Amino acid sequence: MDLRIYSDYKELSKEAAKLIMNVVNANPTGLLCLAAGHTPVGIYKCLVDFAREGKVDFSRCKFVSLDEWVGLGMQDEGSCIKFMHDNLFNPLGILESNIAFFNGQASDLELECKRIDEFVFKNGPIDVVLLGIGINGHIGFNEPGSAFDAYSHVAILDEITKEVGKKYFPVQRQLEKGLTLGIKHFLEARNVILVASGAGKAEIIKKTVESPPDTSLPATALKLHNNFYLLLDKEAASLL
Ligand code: PGA
């Protein structure tokens, strides 16, 4: 585990973006899996700036989604697909043909998971996975108890995820399930970056750093990865 602590959110975002840029510059046709959520917003701003400055070119990269809320799609504020288009894919001008995203409204969710797995097997391994962390230790929708050897699957959302998730939606939603890449995808990726910011994440970061790999705390699985970067701002690292 490569633990890096930065003075604030701005620096954290810039350094995480630089790591991703370096991966893309080393392999401009690589496969990327980048998380939706509040923490990566600053990283995506930096990536868009880097691309506009000509420092990196994402046009030949492929993108696979990390996760999606079951029932939601592009038209829904708060869906992962809309978030990624608004914050990254549209500003970068990424072609839809280079994006494979979970359809949270698919009639057959198991088949949808297979479709995404097949995309990863065909285009992978994933060059870089960027993850946030939930206050229950989830990564993507791999909730506490998720197997480390699972690929994409339908997840029953943890109570904490449902409660905290309200922050993403302008209208109240009854969300019970998610679609997510599995931990096995992360362990088979070339690089994994987990970012956390703010005092609200300090407790779960302390637990993640101190606990051995255990399915009760999904983020600890990443310690089994040889190229795992844990990037924190000072506040998220304040209990270490
Ligand atoms: P956040 O989400 O970046 O909005 O805090 C993290 C997560 O739940 O994975």
Side-chain angles (χ1 to χ4, degrees):
M1 180 172 77
D2 185 339
L3 171 64
R4 303 182 187 184
I5 300 168
Y6 300 103
S7 58
D8 56 23
Y9 177 72
K10 201 171 163 197
E11 198 191 349
L12 166 70
S13 300
K14 192 158 189 191
E15 293 305 317
K18 275 194 207 161
L19 265 182
I20 295 167
M21 173 169 74
N22 291 343
V23 169
V24 172
N25 283 337
N27 182 9
T29 60
L31 175 61
L32 314 184
C33 172
L34 307 176
H38 289 161
T39 313
V41 169
I43 299 174
Y44 299 151
K45 284 205 175 90
C46 290
L47 289 178
V48 170
D49 286 347
F50 293 162
R52 285 186 180 145
E53 290 160 13
K55 292 178 179 161
V56 60
D57 175 9
F58 290 92
S59 65
R60 290 187 297 146
C61 291
K62 289 201 161 53
F63 297 83
V64 64
S65 63
L66 171 63
D67 54 10
E68 185 58 282
W69 306 90
V70 167
L72 301 193
M74 187 71 98
Q75 69 288 352
D76 297 302
E77 196 62 51
S79 68
C80 298
I81 191 168
K82 178 162 170 41
F83 174 93
M84 289 307 297
H85 279 78
D86 289 350
N87 287 277
L88 194 70
F89 300 150
N90 291 344
L92 287 178
I94 303 298
L95 298 175
E96 282 302 317
S97 54
N98 285 339
I99 302 169
F101 220 97
F102 282 117
N103 174 7
Q105 299 173 321
S107 54
D108 187 335
L109 297 175
E110 301 293 339
L111 200 64
E112 183 59 7
C113 291
K114 273 211 186 94
R115 181 180 74 86
I116 293 295
D117 280 348
E118 270 153 28
F119 181 86
V120 174
F121 300 146
K122 182 166 171 239
N123 296 287
I126 301 172
D127 288 84
V128 63
V129 180
L130 174 69
L131 299 167
I133 182 169
I135 57 169
N136 62 351
H138 79 187
I139 42 178
F141 283 139
N142 291 277
E143 301 286 21
S146 299
F148 286 2
D149 61 355
Y151 286 120
S152 298
H153 56 279
V154 182
I156 306 295
L157 299 177
D158 193 74
E159 288 307 318
I160 295 177
T161 300
K162 287 193 264 186
E163 188 54 37
V164 175
K166 288 180 182 165
K167 69 179 179 172
Y168 302 120
F169 304 107
V171 289
Q172 218 176 320
R173 297 273 186 184
Q174 200 63 31
L175 298 165
E176 301 295 336
K177 291 182 189 172
L179 299 175
T180 187
L181 287 196
I183 289 173
K184 195 158 192 218
H185 284 299
F186 309 152
L187 295 178
E188 290 178 358
R190 291 198 169 105
N191 299 281
V192 181
I193 304 170
L194 189 148
V195 285
S197 166
K201 296 287 171 74
E203 188 67 43
I204 194 64
I205 287 297
K206 176 182 159 70
K207 283 189 190 150
T208 301
V209 169
E210 291 178 357
S211 157
D214 191 286
T215 54
S216 65
L217 206 175
T220 57
L222 304 175
K223 293 174 156 185
L224 300 169
H225 198 292
N226 287 333
N227 293 315
F228 169 40
Y229 300 86
L230 178 58
L231 307 189
L232 310 173
D233 64 11
K234 252 197 203 144
E235 291 185 331
S238 59
L239 297 178
L240 297 183

